[in-house]
């Protein structure tokens, strides 16, 4: 049988632990507060950070080009 969509990739979250400077922690807390005022839904900074990182990486054209080249080299066995 042939389906229009391919089998979904593994979507199991990977837990990362990191430390941030106090100023960044404060900025993330402020962002979460502004998010709550804007959307009327409270979210913890640790819930927002993955979306922030995805958005940042998706908007970084240099990263996307370099990543594509990296994977092209890896698939050629370099």
């Amino acid at each position: 049988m042939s389906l229009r969509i391919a089998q979904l990739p593994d979507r199991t979250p990977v837990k990362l632990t990191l430390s941030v400077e106090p100023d960044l922690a404060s900025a993330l807390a402020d962002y979460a507060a502004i998010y709550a005022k804007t959307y009327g839904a409270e979210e913890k900074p640790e819930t927002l950070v993955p979306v922030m990182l995805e958005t940042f990486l998706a908007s970084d054209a240099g990263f996307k080009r370099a990543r594509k080249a990296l994977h092209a080299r890896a698939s050629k066995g370099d």
Side-chain angles (χ1 to χ4, degrees):
M1 178 186 301
S2 178
L3 298 176
R4 285 220 173 254
I5 63 170
Q7 183 176 1
L8 296 176
D10 182 7
R11 296 180 292 160
T12 305
V14 175
K15 184 172 182 155
L16 299 176
T17 303
L18 65 121
S19 299
V20 298
E21 297 292 325
D23 287 346
L24 179 54
S26 178
L28 291 170
D30 290 346
Y31 193 98
I34 294 165
Y35 179 95
K37 284 184 180 182
T38 301
Y39 297 111
E42 291 190 24
E43 297 289 347
K44 294 181 179 181
E46 52 268 31
T47 302
L48 296 172
V49 167
V51 179
M52 292 172 168
L53 290 172
E54 287 176 11
T55 301
F56 173 79
L57 292 175
S59 69
D60 188 328
F63 168 72
K64 288 190 280 190
R65 281 190 302 276
R67 188 175 192 210
K68 184 176 179 180
L70 175 69
H71 287 281
R73 283 192 305 268
S75 67
K76 291 179 183 177
D78 287 351

